[in-house]
Amino acid sequence: AAENSCRITLGQAHQVRPKLPLLRILQAAGAQGDTFTLKEVMHFLGQYIMGRQLYDKRQQHMVHCGGDQLGELLGLQSFSVKDPSPVYEMLKRNLTAAAL
Ligand SMILES: C[C@@H](c1ccc(Cl)cc1)n1cnc(-c2ccccc2)c1-c1c(C(=O)NCCN2CCN(C3CCCCC3)CC2)[nH]c2cc(Cl)ccc12
């Protein structure tokens, strides 16, 4: 119906443009191009964490990013994936809306 067809959510249509330090991290995880959906940004950040083995092997919800570019961007040594707020704060600082 009409009221549904015009609904777009951030995950579906809005592209975002990462600032250079974040773009470098996404590209290190295999991202192509310079605009992404938020979902893609999260996917590549997850791939980056796995690829660099930044998560704690025993406590797999803990990410130890001190000494890595990701930790520089987050301003953190470690964080839990159970509390995404530091990641969202970092994204607010490192993403700009890209024209559709
Ligand atoms: C819910 C989601 C999430 C997504 C965003 C946020 Cl801000 C928090 C949490 N999530 C839950 N666990 C993880 C995770 C945990 C350890 C290592 C890598 C990823 C993720 C993250 C994903 C992701 O795309 N996740 C897909 C499924 N994951 C399950 C966990 N899997 C791994 C768990 C550890 C052992 C290896 C598999 C990988 C695929 N992207 C992220 C990016 C960051 Cl900056 C931080 C965490 C994640």
Side-chain angles (χ1 to χ4, degrees), residues 39 41-51 54-57 59-63 70 74 79-88 90-91:
K39 191 165 171 269
V41 170
M42 287 304 191
H43 167 75
F44 285 113
L45 283 174
Q47 293 296 323
Y48 180 85
I49 291 165
M50 280 169 27
L54 297 181
Y55 63 92
D56 190 304
K57 304 302 169 290
Q59 286 190 306
Q60 296 185 337
H61 67 94
M62 286 305 299
V63 176
L70 180 59
L74 287 166
F79 69 95
S80 166
V81 305
K82 295 190 168 108
D83 173 13
S85 45
V87 175
Y88 280 104
M90 179 274 286
L91 293 178

Side-chain angles (χ1 to χ4, degrees), residues 4-84:
N4 290 332
S5 62
C6 68
R7 231 172 64 76
I8 50 174
T9 62
L10 198 53
Q12 279 161 1
H14 287 195
Q15 297 280 324
V16 289
R17 187 181 296 280
K19 290 182 182 166
L20 200 55
L22 176 58
L23 181 61
R24 287 212 181 94
I25 288 178
L26 302 179
Q27 289 174 338
Q32 310 276 328
D34 53 13
T35 61
F36 305 93
T37 63
L38 192 59
K39 191 165 171 269
E40 288 166 332
V41 170
M42 287 304 191
H43 167 75
F44 285 113
L45 283 174
Q47 293 296 323
Y48 180 85
I49 291 165
M50 280 169 27
R52 298 214 169 189
Q53 303 276 310
L54 297 181
Y55 63 92
D56 190 304
K57 304 302 169 290
R58 282 183 304 285
Q59 286 190 306
Q60 296 185 337
H61 67 94
M62 286 305 299
V63 176
H64 303 301
C65 47
D68 186 277
Q69 305 160 64
L70 180 59
E72 302 282 313
L73 274 192
L74 287 166
L76 289 175
Q77 298 294 325
S78 304
F79 69 95
S80 166
V81 305
K82 295 190 168 108
D83 173 13

